[in-house]
Every structure is written in structure tokens, then in C-alpha cells.
Amino acid sequence: MPALISVSDLHVHLGESHVLQGVSFEVPEGGVTALLGRNGVGKTTTLRALMGLVPRRGRVTLAGAELTRLPTHRIVQRGVGYVPEDRDVFAGLSVDENLRIAERNGNARYELVYELFPELKTRGAQKAGTLSGGQQQMVAIARALLNENSVLLVDEPTKGLAPLLVTEVAAALERAAELATVLLVEQNLAVVARVAQQVVVLDGGRVVHAGGAKELLGDPERVRALLGVHGGGH
Amino acid sequence: MSTFVLLTITGLGLGAMYFLIASGLSLIYGLMGVLNFAHGAFLTVGAYATWWTSTHVGGGPGTKLLVGAIVGLAVGALLAALVELVLIRPLYERHIEQVLVTVGLALVLSALVEAIWGFDARQFPVPDWLIDTTTIFGANIPNDRFLEIATAVLVFLGLTAFLRYTRYGLIVRAGVENRAMVTALGIDVRKSFTLVFAIGGLAAALAGVLSGVYFGAVDPGRGTSLLIFAFIVVVIGGFGSIGGTAIAAVVVGLVQQYANYYASSGLGDLAVVLLLALVLLARPGGLAPKVAH
Ligand SMILES: Nc1ncnc2c1ncn2[C@@H]1O[C@H](COP(=O)(O)OP(=O)(O)OP(=O)(O)O)[C@@H](O)[C@H]1O
Ligand SMILES: [Mg+2]
């Protein structure tokens, strides 16, 4: 399978620290690739670097086209959707307005979004800042699904959610993966096991493992060594 | 009673001018994080463009004022848009440098105005009906006060409608909360920076025209002296909030007038600074949260 996204020798400095020290990996077209690693290892920074939200050095290509010289809004216009770590919904805007601002053209996929998250329709007039964490996450995912993106970068969508909501979000991710290639940062290995086919593991500012999701998650020793956690749960 | 009415309406007229200056300042800071010290210069340049045009067209003072104002507003908006494109944009995200540039620009523009037209005040064309008074509750109110108040109310309604009902307004409100996330939705947020600067420049020039009518003249220091109060209004009202700015402008205008009359002349400015200190102690973020509404 040809790589849809190819990252090579990506470097990011934040303040004094050299957070990414030559990150290289590939994301095949279709399905979900999970980006894993211990806390603070640079997963969020990697996604932000792909989005052009932090100064970065190196090469990132999407379907062969170089992205690193483009400003963020142009990268998005190439078909990249972003669901940030802390949701970043616009608290003072209504749910409807949060979705409307994400529309990039006249064919926003509201049926899809409302089918996945019916609550967003009934709560359209509510200020996003007054939603629960789970509902805010739905808004954040919906904003990315509203447009026809070829890639979705999704950062810890299940963080802090109740088990029932984790299931709902995982289902939405599976659906999203039918429509786009998903690069997912996720600490909940049960969710990774359910939705991801590939994994990429970061440590010490570099990629230390890349391969099939089943192979890694089926090897608890390896999981503990790479991620410092036990396989199968939080 | 009649004195109180006169003070109140004059205070509202003053507040109206503060609002026109402060609304642009507030939106620019809220959206871009730039404290625009050149905003007073937009006002001065707009007022001088109005005066200069009025001396070059025929007709009565009403026509002169109207034609002059149209040119003055256009000049204010264009100057502001140009400043954003040429000086602010190349320093994207470098807020200290941006602020320094606006300080420098403020100095350059007022020096330029002084060099061309001198330090002396220039007579503004004011039609008689604006100088005449209307009697309300026994108070003789100069009619220009009503013009100032009505203009500010219209600008407030217009800005509110712009923010609430247009796509650019939506982008501005979202950008005030989280600029980076707006770009991460595929929006070139810099276009709305230019637009907000242009709107701010237009409103400032409008304040320049109205201040010319209020004082009957324009002088090179006008923008700077009004800017100080506009900054106080913005801080009290909360950055990025049009509603908060409107309330704060009215309060500052009224407090200034009342203190000048009931306490002692000259105490008005001190009272405004005291008010600022009180608000900051009670609510460090200003009256409104940092949300454009
Ligand atoms: N603005 C900043 N200045 C300096 N260092 C930063 C900054 N932002 C993040 N860092 C550091 O960069 C490193 C990587 O952070 P990042 O958020 O990318 O990690 P992460 O893998 O997403 O962590 P988590 O699992 O907690 O979400 C961390 O050590 C963090 O402390
Ligand atoms: Mg993270």
C-alpha cells in the first residue's frame, strides 16, 4: 500500500526543549494509524507540527505534495481535518455556530454528523462552553467530519470520558475511518485495539516502533517496554 | 435638574465618541493581541481629511461637513487597512514589535499632520442646526450631542449585527477566543485582521468627525487625548467585547462629566482613573469576559 502521509526527519523545538528529534514514519492510505507513546513524549507536538501550528523542520508530504512550507489554513484546505487534544471548541459560540464556522464549502455533511451525534442537532442553540466534556468532544469531531477530508488528525478523543461515551466516540472513529485516513493519538489501548490497524510509537523524540496494531498489542512485554503500561486498558 | 440633564446628555455624547474609538481598539486587541497605539492617529487623520475636503467643496456647512465626512471615513478605513497589511502583517505573532510599530506610527502621523497643517486648531464646518439647542426638562442641549449619541448607537447596532450575522463576524468572534483553532479549520484569519483594522479605522475617523463637530475644530493632538480615555474604556469593558465596551464608554463619559461639575473642574479625569482602578481590583478581566458579543 502506498503511503498517504510521509513524515521524514521532523524536528520541533519548543522553548528550550528539542521535543521532536528527527521523527520519521509513514501513514498508509485508509484505516486508522495510532500514534502512541508515554506522556509528554511529543505526540501532540507531532500532530501540531503536521498542521503547521508549531515551527518545524523536516519533510511532510500528503499524497506526494510537500506540506511544510504551507500555512495552517492551506494545509487544511488540502483535505486535512484536526481534532485537537483539548477539543478547543469555541465556548462563546453556539453548537450550530461551531459547526458553521467549520464549513469549507457548500456541501457540508450535516446528515453524517447528526447521524453520528444526534445530540448536536437538539443542542444546536446551546453555547458550546456549557456542554459536557463528551458533548464538546462530539462538536470537535463533528467539525472535522463536516468536510470531505482525506486525512483526520485526532488527538486523544476519549480522554476523560465516561466508558459509555468512549464507546460512542470509538464508533464514530470507525465510521470516520471509512471516509478518511485517520492518524489517532490514543492512550486507551482498548480503543486502539478496536479501531487501529497500524501503530507508530514515539520515545525520546524519535519513532522507536512502527508496525501492525495486533502484533504490538498482542505482546504485553513489548507494550510495557514501549509504553510503560499494561496492554488492553488504561 | 436642568444642569443634571445637560451633564448627562453631554456625558453620553462624550461616551459615544469614546465608544467609537474603543470598539475598534477592543476588537483589534481581542482578535490579534495588538494594542494599537496608532488608533488615535486614525482619528486625527480622518478628522483632518474631513476638514481639508470641506475647504475644497462648495455649498453650505452642512454639505461641506457631509462630503468631508465621507472622504474622512474612507481615508480612515483605508489608512487602517494599509497599516495592517504593510506594517502589522509582516510582524505576524510578534506582538511586542507590532505594538512598537503602532507607537512609532502614531508619532510619525501626528508629526506629519503638524508639519503639513501646523499646530493651530482648524475650524470645522458645523451647520447652525447642530449648534442650536433643544430644550429638554428645562436644559438647553446643543443638538450635536444627539448626533453623537445616535451615531454611536447605530455603529453599536451595526457592529453587533456584523458580529452576529455574518461569516466574517463569526470568524472574528471565534478568533477572539482561539485564533489558532480558526486557522486549523482552514480559514485564513489574516483576512479578518485587515477587515477589523479597516472597521476600526472607519469608526475612529467617525469619532474624529464627531469630535470636530463637538469642539467646532480639529487640532493635531485630538486623537492622542481621546485615545487615552478609549484605552481606559477598553480595559474596563473587557478586551474583545463590544457590549462591554459600550457600557464602559457610557459610564466613563458620565463619570467624567459629573465629577467635573459636582466635585471640581479637572477632577473628571482623575475620577475616570479611579474608576479604572476600582474595576480592575474587583474584576481583573474587565466587565465582560474575553468573548466578542
Ligand atoms: N510551549 C512549550 N514550551 C516548552 N515545552 C513544551 C511546550 N509545549 C509542550 N512542551 C513539552 O514538549 C513535550 C511534548 O509535549 P506533547 O504535548 O507533544 O506530549 P504528548 O505526547 O502529547 O503528551 P500527553 O500524553 O501528555 O498528551 C513535553 O515534554 C512538554 O512538556
Ligand atoms: Mg498530548
Side-chain angles (χ1 to χ4, degrees):
Chain A
M1 231 187 313
L4 180 64
I5 303 174
S6 163
V7 177
S8 74
D9 203 27
L10 191 64
H11 288 259
V12 172
H13 293 262
L14 292 175
E16 297 292 292
S17 54
H18 192 176
V19 179
L20 303 188
Q21 308 177 6
V23 166
S24 304
F25 64 92
E26 299 203 320
V27 179
E29 181 159 7
V32 176
T33 297
L35 182 60
L36 307 175
R38 292 173 229 265
N39 285 110
V41 81
K43 305 180 295 292
T44 296
T45 304
T46 303
L47 295 196
R48 289 175 59 80
L50 298 187
M51 291 296 297
L53 288 166
V54 290
R56 73 276 196 222
R57 207 153 43 73
R59 271 175 65 81
V60 177
T61 58
L62 170 63
E66 176 69 54
L67 293 186
T68 31
R69 271 184 297 276
L70 298 178
T72 301
H73 69 273
R74 288 233 172 279
I75 294 174
V76 174
Q77 287 164 7
R78 295 274 174 109
V80 181
Y82 180 47
V83 182
E85 180 164 25
D86 293 311
R87 289 131 200 182
D88 284 348
V89 299
F90 302 108
L93 271 51
S94 68
V95 170
D96 280 345
E97 288 174 327
N98 267 277
L99 297 180
R100 195 164 358 115
I101 193 176
E103 291 176 20
R104 294 210 300 271
N105 52 40
N107 356 322
R109 301 188 290 195
Y110 279 102
E111 327 73 53
L112 168 70
V113 160
Y114 288 145
E115 178 203 322
L116 285 173
F117 307 118
E119 244 183 299
L120 297 187
K121 191 164 194 175
T122 55
R123 291 182 183 274
Q126 190 174 337
K127 286 254 187 295
T130 65
L131 296 172
S132 72
Q135 292 159 345
Q136 291 190 6
Q137 190 59 258
M138 293 175 195
V139 172
I141 295 173
R143 279 191 311 204
L145 287 179
L146 207 53
N147 299 286
E148 282 183 32
N149 290 309
S150 57
V151 175
L152 297 175
L153 307 180
V154 186
D155 199 346
E156 300 211 34
T158 67
K159 189 163 106 178
L161 299 189
L164 212 59
L165 279 170
V166 171
T167 310
E168 191 173 347
V169 166
L173 286 174
E174 282 179 316
R175 184 66 193 280
E178 294 166 8
L179 302 161
T181 301
V182 178
L183 178 59
L184 170 73
V185 173
E186 180 56 69
Q187 304 263 26
N188 184 333
L189 293 183
V191 172
V192 174
R194 173 170 164 186
V195 304
Q197 295 81 46
Q198 314 289 324
V199 292
V200 172
V201 183
L202 290 181
D203 203 2
R206 288 199 177 78
V207 172
V208 292
H209 175 87
K214 278 210 180 65
E215 288 81 341
L216 176 66
L217 296 178
D219 184 350
E221 278 303 309
R222 203 76 215 282
V223 167
R224 187 156 44 238
L226 285 170
L227 304 173
V229 291
H230 299 280
H234 225 17
Chain B
M1 174 67 187
S2 71
T3 310
F4 179 76
V5 172
L6 177 63
L7 288 174
T8 302
I9 295 182
T10 302
L12 289 176
L14 215 54
M17 280 188 268
Y18 294 156
F19 171 75
L20 290 176
I21 311 167
S23 53
L25 275 180
S26 175
L27 278 184
I28 288 171
Y29 183 84
L31 182 64
M32 309 168 59
V34 177
L35 270 181
N36 181 26
F37 283 91
H39 217 71
F42 296 165
L43 185 159
T44 307
V45 169
Y48 269 86
T50 303
W51 161 77
W52 185 87
T53 308
S54 76
T55 62
H56 285 74
V57 295
T63 316
K64 284 171 175 288
L65 180 63
L66 187 66
V67 176
I70 291 169
V71 173
L73 299 193
V75 167
L78 279 176
L79 173 66
L82 208 65
V83 165
E84 198 282 323
L85 283 171
V86 176
L87 296 174
I88 305 290
R89 183 170 293 196
L91 298 171
Y92 190 60
E93 291 292 335
R94 289 160 62 184
H95 298 309
I96 309 248
E97 284 93 332
Q98 286 176 330
V99 169
L100 290 178
V101 160
T102 70
V103 172
L105 186 69
L107 297 174
V108 167
L109 284 177
S110 40
L112 210 61
V113 167
E114 284 165 8
I116 300 174
W117 290 296
F119 293 91
D120 295 336
R122 297 296 182 145
Q123 209 68 33
F124 234 66
V126 184
D128 288 338
W129 64 269
L130 277 177
I131 300 168
D132 287 347
T133 59
T134 300
T135 307
I136 295 182
F137 296 116
N140 294 325
I141 316 284
N143 287 339
D144 71 278
R145 309 292 193 270
F146 302 114
L147 178 69
E148 284 136 28
I149 295 167
T151 306
V153 168
L154 283 179
V155 169
F156 172 76
L157 293 176
L159 274 180
T160 307
F162 163 75
L163 288 172
R164 200 169 295 169
Y165 300 117
T166 68
R167 173 142 183 101
Y168 268 110
L170 184 61
I171 292 170
V172 170
R173 281 187 291 149
V176 166
E177 276 194 45
N178 187 340
R179 215 164 38 230
M181 193 58 221
V182 172
T183 67
L185 292 174
I187 295 162
D188 184 359
V189 78
R190 291 171 309 178
K191 282 189 196 147
S192 54
F193 291 178
T194 315
L195 182 68
V196 163
F197 250 80
I199 291 173
L202 187 114
L206 193 52
V209 173
L210 293 178
S211 79
V213 172
Y214 180 94
F215 295 105
V218 58
D219 63 78
R222 175 65 46 74
T224 318
S225 56
L226 286 173
L227 183 65
I228 295 166
F229 292 106
F231 267 127
I232 292 178
V233 164
V234 171
V235 174
I236 292 178
F239 287 97
S241 159
I242 291 298
T245 302
I247 295 169
V250 167
V251 171
V252 166
L254 288 176
V255 163
Q256 207 174 10
Q257 284 295 307
Y258 294 151
N260 265 336
Y261 185 83
Y262 291 112
S264 129
S265 174
L267 223 63
D269 298 355
L270 186 66
V272 168
V273 175
L274 267 175
L275 179 71
L276 173 68
L278 277 178
V279 169
L280 286 185
L281 282 176
R283 310 225 6 203
L287 293 177
K290 191 186 174 229
V291 172
H293 53 160

